[in-house]
Each structure stands twice: as structure tokens, then as C-alpha cells.
Amino acid sequence: MKKELYDKVMGELAGIQEVENDIFTDRKTIVRALKMAQVVLFPEFYHVTGVRKEEALFVLYDILGKAVESVLTYMHDERDSEAVTDAFIEQLPDMRRMLLKDAEAIYEGDPAAVSTVEVFLSYPGFYAILIHRVAHVLYTLHIPFLPRIMSEYAHEKTGIDIHPGATIGERFCIDHGTGVVIGETAVIGHDVKIYQGVTIGAKSFELDEDGNPIKGGKRHPDIGDHVIIYANATILGGETKVGSGSVIGGNVWLVHSVPENSRILYQG
């Protein structure tokens, strides 16, 4: 490459509006923290090269603590990063208890599963739920960036897109999973099972006087306990509630609430 071309291109790139520098961390570091959390939660199934199981919690604390400190500094948040990191670490046992129940629900809900060990080792639905449980705790601690990086890593690996803000109850089962989308303000109850292609999403955004989307507020549905949602169903809207015990059939488009024990079927 000629020096003149190099100087021209680099000069033009430098002149384009800059992204704020000194960003808190990089994506690779957050993914490493996530993988360390997996080792801490389930050392039976997850490993990181060069890190002994006995060291995993210390390594996680160090990586995550530095990332939390950096992001709080970047956001001009004066909270004590050590206290925030401690609050996350303290919730790891509860995360493991929840995830054990999720794995059991997936095993019981899938006749093709031969054991919960198979669920842990090979099921993308469980892997996405595991990452969500970790990311959701960071989200509830009001740590920006980190939980979304984790959820998008899960999206990349599994094709399952769960916003870290979504509140999901115990014994959650995602069967197959590809194309599942769950929005930030969705609330999902206990013993819910969903299949591939399901969207629990938002309606079109309202616009402000300048034509920009109005963000925030309750935008995504509430799903009760013991609900089954079959493949490619779409449920939209912050005021939409699916009553407990309901079954939503495949390809259904639902934008209104339904009572408990409803059976909603697609009629083409």
C-alpha cells in the first residue's frame, strides 16, 4: 500500500465522529467472566483451560470486579464496585438452584432427552437460560453493558434472544429454541414451556413529538404459570397477559389478554 493512500484513509477515518474512548472493557473479557461463572456454577460440566475448579470463583471475582469498577466509572456511577460485585457473587447459589430446576424441566418436557446430563452438555435452550440467569442478576444490580453483552453472546451461540431484563420463573423450558425472542419487560411465570420461533415481544413504539421512539415502560407481555406456547407463536404488547394453564398454538398472533386455561389456536 502506498503511503499516500494510507495517510488519506487514516486521516478520513480519524475525522469521522469518534466513539468515546477509554471504554470500560472489551467483549472478550465479559465473555471470559461469563465462562468463569459457568465453571463456578457447574464445575461438573464446564471448564476453562488453565484454571482449576478451586480457583474459578477467585478468577471470576477478579475479572468481574474490574469490569464492574470500570463500567461504573465510565457511567459516573459512584456506587462501590466491590459491594456490587459481592452482591452478584452472593446470588450464585440461588442461580445454581434455579438452573438445576430448569434442567430438570427440560428433561421432563422432552421425550428425546435421556438424562439431565445430556441437557447440561448439549441443549441450546438450557445454555441460553443459564446465561440469562447470570445476566439477569447483573441487570437487576443496574450494571449497564455487561448483561447485554452476555445475552447477545447467548444469542450468537444458540439463536435464542432473551433480553437480560426479562423476568423468568422457575422450571423454564425452551424446546429446540432457534428463533426464540423474549423482550426486556416480559414476565414469565413458573413451569412455562416454549418452542422454537416464539416471540414474546413489543408492539410498534409510540413516537414523541420529534418522531423518535418513546423508550421505557412496560412493553412486553406477562405469561402466567404452567403455560405452553407452541412453535412460531407471536405474543405482543405490555398490556397482554396470558392466564395460567393456557396453551397457545403454533403460528398464533396474539395481541390481547386471554384468561386462565385458554386454548388459543391458529385459524388460517
Side-chain angles (χ1 to χ4, degrees):
M1 180 187 298
K2 295 180 179 178
K3 186 177 185 305
E4 293 81 0
L5 177 59
Y6 175 88
D7 290 341
K8 177 178 181 295
V9 171
M10 293 303 294
E12 290 183 9
L13 288 173
I16 297 172
Q17 184 178 7
E18 293 184 1
V19 176
E20 294 181 60
N21 56 11
D22 297 327
I23 190 67
F24 58 95
T25 187
D26 59 30
R27 185 175 185 270
K28 185 176 181 180
T29 299
I30 305 310
V31 171
R32 180 169 173 79
L34 174 61
K35 291 184 176 182
M36 293 310 309
Q38 293 169 4
V39 176
V40 173
L41 288 165
F42 295 106
E44 311 95 316
F45 303 110
Y46 298 101
H47 310 277
V48 172
T49 301
V51 178
R52 293 184 293 113
K53 295 176 183 179
E54 298 80 4
E55 301 172 330
L57 183 57
F58 294 102
V59 176
L60 169 61
Y61 191 88
D62 181 60
I63 297 172
L64 187 63
K66 290 177 181 176
V68 168
E69 181 180 13
S70 296
V71 74
L72 292 182
T73 300
Y74 179 76
M75 296 299 293
H76 307 290
D77 187 327
E78 296 182 356
R79 283 183 293 164
D80 182 353
S81 62
E82 184 174 347
V84 174
T85 306
D86 288 348
F88 172 85
I89 296 296
E90 287 174 356
Q91 295 189 57
L92 286 167
D94 285 339
M95 279 185 248
R96 179 178 167 95
R97 281 188 282 267
M98 289 276 284
L99 287 161
L100 286 169
K101 293 177 182 179
D102 295 327
E104 189 66 27
I106 293 172
Y107 167 67
E108 292 176 355
D110 183 1
V114 299
S115 67
T116 54
V117 171
E118 183 180 50
V119 172
F120 275 100
L121 292 176
S122 63
Y123 273 54
F126 177 77
Y127 192 63
I129 295 168
L130 189 163
I131 294 174
H132 175 74
R133 298 290 190 200
V134 174
H136 182 68
V137 170
L138 289 169
Y139 180 92
T140 59
L141 292 170
H142 306 290
I143 302 300
F145 301 117
L146 310 191
R148 192 61 185 268
I149 291 170
M150 292 180 177
S151 68
E152 292 303 332
Y153 178 77
H155 187 191
E156 172 190 318
K157 293 296 181 182
T158 67
I160 298 169
D161 184 0
I162 309 176
H163 192 285
T167 301
I168 299 176
E170 295 182 348
R171 297 177 297 277
F172 185 47
C173 174
I174 299 176
D175 200 344
H176 303 295
T178 304
V180 164
V181 177
I182 302 175
E184 178 183 19
T185 62
V187 178
I188 297 175
H190 304 308
D191 296 287
V192 171
K193 183 177 183 179
I194 65 177
Y195 287 80
Q196 68 274 15
V198 166
T199 296
I200 302 175
K203 296 179 183 178
S204 297
F205 290 109
E206 294 184 10
L207 303 179
D208 63 19
E209 58 186 14
D210 296 321
N212 299 312
I214 299 174
K215 298 189 177 184
K218 174 69 170 158
R219 308 184 307 280
H220 306 95
D222 292 347
I223 310 297
D225 300 333
H226 301 281
V227 171
I228 300 175
I229 307 174
Y230 283 98
N232 299 314
T234 298
I235 306 173
L236 304 178
E239 297 180 355
T240 302
K241 300 182 186 299
V242 176
S244 295
S246 295
V247 176
I248 309 300
N251 299 309
V252 162
W253 176 273
L254 186 63
V255 292
H256 60 82
S257 297
V258 298
E260 293 184 358
N261 302 311
S262 296
R263 299 292 183 271
I264 310 298
L265 303 177
Y266 171 74
Q267 295 180 349

